[in-house]
Amino acid sequence: MAPQVDVDLIARAEAWLADDPDPAGRAELRAVLDGLPDTAVELTDRFAGPLTFGTAGLRGRLRAGPNGMNLAVVTRAAAGLVGWLAAQGGEGPLVIGYDARHGSAAFAERTARVATGAGRPALLLPGPLPTPVLAYAVRALDAVAGVMVTASHNPPQDNGYKVYLGASLGGPAGSGAQIVPPADAGIEAAIRAVASAASVPLGDPGTVLDEKILQGYVRSAAAVLTEDGPRDLTIAYTPMHGVGASTTAAAFAAAGFPPPAIVAEQAEPDPAFPTVAFPNPEEPGAMDLLLALAARTGADLAIANDPDADRCAVAIPAGDGWRPLRGDELGALLADHLIRRGVPGLYATTIVSSSLVGRLCAARGVPYAETLTGFKWIVRAAEDLAFGYEEALGYCVAPGLVRDKDGITAALTVAELAAALKTEGRTLADRLDDLAAEFGLHATDQLSVRVDDLAEIGRAMGRARLNPPATLLGAAVTEVVDLLPENDVLTFRTATARVVIRPSGTEPKLKAYLEVVEPVTEGGHAEARDRAATALAALRTEIAATLGV
């Protein structure tokens, strides 16, 4: 029996169709309406509610209707944003960047026309470029704000819309950084106040910037490194079908490194991401082509960016193969390297990242802080931030250049470290062993549960709160920290283990971040790694039972 169709829902869909400025979107929605009642479930989902403008901006499936990324939604979002900027008294141009996903260029161009229609200058980056270039441009051009059209490492059917604030509205620590509350709520309210997409005045297409802005980023990125350091390193690299290849290659050349070997199948931007199930270096199999290239070329180091190049993944030789470093391992290596270089300021990470950097900073007498999850918080930890990282492959090695995660300067910095170690006959693995010998082997893992029903995340968090574990790995739980109502985060600690549980902020996932610390004893590093792997596997099982997943 066909589902019943809500008459009011049909009326709302017809009204949306009449307001949609995109002929393709109108045709798509008309096909859904014409397919009723068989398409009732699809229509209901498209109108289940508008995409919410949060601290990560907008992100959703490319499809017509309010619960999707499309030209009508972007028009309203841009109008709300420029209206909010005006209400705050923000002065200066709006700078706009975009990646190579489906719809990105059109969404960026519409944002520019909305801005100029409201009387604000709009500056577009000169083509599809990495997110760090947009974050850099906000500061370099003294813009009131920036918009980056990207869904980062989401699946190919998604797109998104991120907002950065300039110095006049973001403050010193937030200049060129992603928005935080209450700005998100203010922009959301302004978007809701937009009567219709058709009512939004459109102006000229704005100004397309020339290559000088990109050249400025490349020069500045290369200058992050020690000028006369070693550069003898063989690197394999992939942009993972994204927009990072040319900018990354230019940055490595400017810094004096030999050209990286690039995975040919993934070198050019392709919004279909044909060689990977998910275009995220953390996903199983996503780096397989890179590791094969690294093996063929005898590389010292393998580096991957995600599609908008704000994240950086690294793999190192291990026995007869290659081992991807966990985000926490690379975070510790970069922090240790910058501390050894004498880079002053505060070092920061998040409550879900490894505790190793905190112990490192305490031992070296370096200021340290932990923040809530997300780079919007990390970069605001202090005005004099020296370094920030999150376990999800995000690293900020040059806050004065890009006040956000930047996969290109992170790649340069880890290459600098690897090249310096190579002159000593040592590797990144050796440096990790040094840290483990001094502070204990900090091993991390993640239990990630993707859901179809978002309500299941709330039910699982409720089960963990109602029946928290008394022990983990046979040791008493000595601390339970619940950040409700401000944040949906739950932490359990024992003397040698920690678990942090939270919903993902950008994907339909529940995440549990696991950490165990094993001393390096007479059995050496290999034995400590084996003990840690066994402990993490057991911890995953225990937490899965606690969550009921």
Side-chain angles (χ1 to χ4, degrees):
M1 185 170 135
Q4 293 294 315
V5 183
D6 184 339
V7 175
D8 178 64
L9 174 60
I10 295 175
R12 288 192 290 129
E14 291 283 3
W16 183 274
L17 191 151
D19 186 51
D20 194 332
D22 182 11
R26 294 196 299 271
E28 179 188 319
L29 187 54
R30 173 53 65 195
V32 175
L33 285 166
D34 290 346
L36 292 172
D38 295 338
T39 54
V41 172
E42 171 71 11
L43 186 65
T44 299
D45 189 45
R46 288 173 183 254
F47 284 81
L51 289 183
T52 301
F53 196 98
T55 52
L58 297 171
R59 194 170 291 188
R61 280 184 59 189
L62 287 157
R63 59 179 182 177
N67 192 20
M69 283 294 296
N70 53 68
L71 203 60
V73 164
V74 167
T75 300
R76 292 168 182 249
L81 171 61
V82 297
W84 181 83
L85 292 172
Q88 305 308 304
E91 297 182 357
L94 179 67
V95 60
I96 304 158
Y98 56 99
D99 66 12
R101 285 179 177 264
H102 294 298
S104 288
F107 295 162
E109 290 161 5
R110 176 54 63 109
T111 299
R113 287 187 175 275
V114 171
T116 58
R120 185 175 296 278
L123 307 175
L124 281 88
L125 295 188
L129 286 168
T131 293
V133 178
L134 181 279
Y136 163 81
V138 172
R139 297 172 69 117
L141 300 173
D142 197 23
V144 66
V147 167
M148 182 68 195
V149 182
T150 180
S152 190
H153 56 280
N154 271 40
Q157 64 268 25
D158 291 358
N159 212 326
Y161 199 85
K162 294 170 67 172
V163 174
Y164 295 76
L165 292 181
S168 63
L169 295 179
S175 174
Q178 296 179 53
I179 58 170
V180 294
D184 57 342
I187 296 169
E188 169 76 7
I191 293 170
R192 298 292 159 251
V194 176
S196 66
S199 68
V200 175
L202 302 178
D204 64 66
T207 301
V208 177
L209 296 166
D210 60 26
E211 295 293 325
K212 290 179 182 177
I213 189 68
L214 178 58
Q215 293 164 0
Y217 169 81
V218 168
R219 285 194 304 271
S220 300
V224 167
L225 307 188
T226 303
E227 187 174 352
D228 56 353
R231 296 292 190 267
D232 177 23
L233 201 67
T234 303
I235 301 167
Y237 169 76
T238 180
M240 207 157 287
H241 298 297
V243 295
S246 60
T247 305
T248 300
F252 270 89
F257 284 98
I262 300 179
V263 175
E265 301 92 328
Q266 299 174 336
E268 296 300 320
D270 188 335
F273 305 107
T275 68
V276 290
F278 286 93
N280 180 352
E282 292 181 292
E283 293 286 340
M287 292 175 63
D288 285 355
L289 290 175
L290 172 66
L291 302 187
L293 175 65
R296 290 197 307 273
T297 57
D300 300 304
L301 197 62
I303 299 175
N305 286 140
D306 67 340
D308 69 328
D310 65 348
R311 298 173 192 246
C312 176
V314 167
I316 59 175
D320 294 331
W322 284 77
R323 180 175 80 85
L325 296 180
R326 296 197 65 83
D328 285 315
E329 291 178 307
L330 183 52
L333 285 169
L334 291 172
D336 178 65
H337 177 58
L338 294 174
I339 290 170
R340 289 170 183 262
R341 273 182 43 190
V343 177
L346 180 120
Y347 287 66
T349 187
T350 72
I351 58 174
V352 305
S353 299
S354 171
S355 57
L356 175 55
V357 170
R359 294 182 180 182
L360 170 68
C361 288
R364 305 292 188 262
V366 171
Y368 171 77
E370 290 182 3
T371 73
L372 293 173
T373 307
F375 254 85
K376 57 187 176 287
W377 301 116
I378 293 171
V379 299
R380 288 176 169 85
E383 189 174 340
D384 68 338
L385 183 71
F387 170 73
Y389 96 92
E390 62 182 359
E391 49 72 42
L393 307 180
Y395 311 94
C396 177
V397 301
L401 175 67
V402 172
R403 202 82 177 183
D404 194 23
K405 55 185 175 288
D406 181 349
I408 297 172
T409 52
L412 289 171
T413 306
V414 72
E416 175 184 57
L417 170 59
L421 289 169
K422 184 178 179 181
T423 64
E424 304 169 7
R426 307 185 77 233
T427 66
L428 296 180
D430 294 326
R431 180 57 56 82
L432 283 171
D433 284 349
D434 293 344
L435 293 171
E438 184 174 1
F439 300 106
L441 180 73
H442 288 62
T444 58
D445 199 359
Q446 189 180 122
L447 171 64
S448 182
V449 182
R450 187 178 290 270
V451 300
D452 295 321
D453 178 8
L454 288 176
E456 178 54 30
I457 292 177
R459 289 192 288 268
M461 293 295 292
R463 288 190 287 268
R465 287 188 168 96
L466 188 62
N467 294 297
T471 63
L472 291 172
L473 302 176
V477 172
T478 56
E479 185 179 22
V480 178
V481 180
D482 191 343
L483 297 186
L484 274 180
E486 287 81 10
N487 289 277
D488 192 6
V489 181
L490 191 58
T491 301
F492 306 124
R493 285 190 179 89
T494 72
T496 58
R498 187 201 65 187
V499 177
V500 185
I501 308 169
R502 61 178 280 270
S504 170
T506 56
E507 297 178 273
K509 286 182 178 181
L510 177 65
K511 294 185 175 183
Y513 304 82
L514 318 176
E515 180 176 40
V516 298
V517 182
E518 292 286 344
V520 179
T521 57
E522 291 183 1
H525 291 86
E527 184 181 287
R529 283 192 287 270
D530 289 342
R531 292 197 310 270
T534 300
L536 284 172
L539 192 56
R540 283 174 62 90
T541 301
E542 292 183 15
I543 292 302
T546 296
L547 293 169
V549 296

